[in-house]
């Protein structure tokens, strides 16, 4: 399914949540769960990236094959983090 904000199978999460056809959906993972690789993301302090259209159970990290997407998402996160406003509440 091609949705607004999606390109080549990649979508921002906010484009597929809240009232879309994917709300209240469960995913059944095919095959056995792979053995965890504790030298890979997120344990190596690097970002993970998954193509949930092809890998809905997030078994295969594709960050190394898609550095432009990782950088774009990191830049967006840094922008949002920089715009956070702390609210002071008086008691």
């Amino acid at each position: 399914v091609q949705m607004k904000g999606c390109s080549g199978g990649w979508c921002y999460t906010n484009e597929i949540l809240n009232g879309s056809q994917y709300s209240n959906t469960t995913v059944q993972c095919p095959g056995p769960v792979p053995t965890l690789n504790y030298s890979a993301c997120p344990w190596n302090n690097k970002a993970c990236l998954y193509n949930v259209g092809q890998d809905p159970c997030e078994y295969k990290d594709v960050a190394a094959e898609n550095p432009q997407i990782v950088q774009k998402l990191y830049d967006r996160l840094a922008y949002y983090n920089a715009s956070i406003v702390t609210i002071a509440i008086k008691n």
Side-chain angles (χ1 to χ4, degrees):
V1 175
Q2 189 68 12
M3 300 181 71
K4 182 184 114 189
C6 301
S7 174
W10 299 94
C11 302
Y12 287 111
T13 305
N14 66 335
E15 298 294 342
I16 59 174
L17 295 177
N18 302 324
S20 77
Q21 63 186 356
Y22 298 104
S23 293
N24 300 316
T25 301
T26 58
V27 175
Q28 189 167 19
C29 300
V33 176
T35 303
L36 290 176
N37 177 358
Y38 290 104
S39 64
C41 76
W43 298 281
N44 64 0
N45 292 320
K46 293 188 179 180
C48 301
L49 180 68
Y50 301 99
N51 184 333
V52 294
Q54 295 176 0
D55 180 19
C57 297
E58 300 179 351
Y59 289 154
K60 183 180 185 314
D61 175 30
V62 295
E65 296 92 26
N66 298 281
Q68 306 89 351
I69 294 171
V70 172
Q71 188 63 51
K72 183 176 181 178
L73 293 172
Y74 180 83
D75 291 346
R76 182 173 277 206
L77 179 63
Y79 170 80
Y80 287 134
N81 284 344
S83 67
I84 293 173
V85 177
T86 304
I87 299 173
I89 300 175
K90 290 185 176 183
N91 291 332

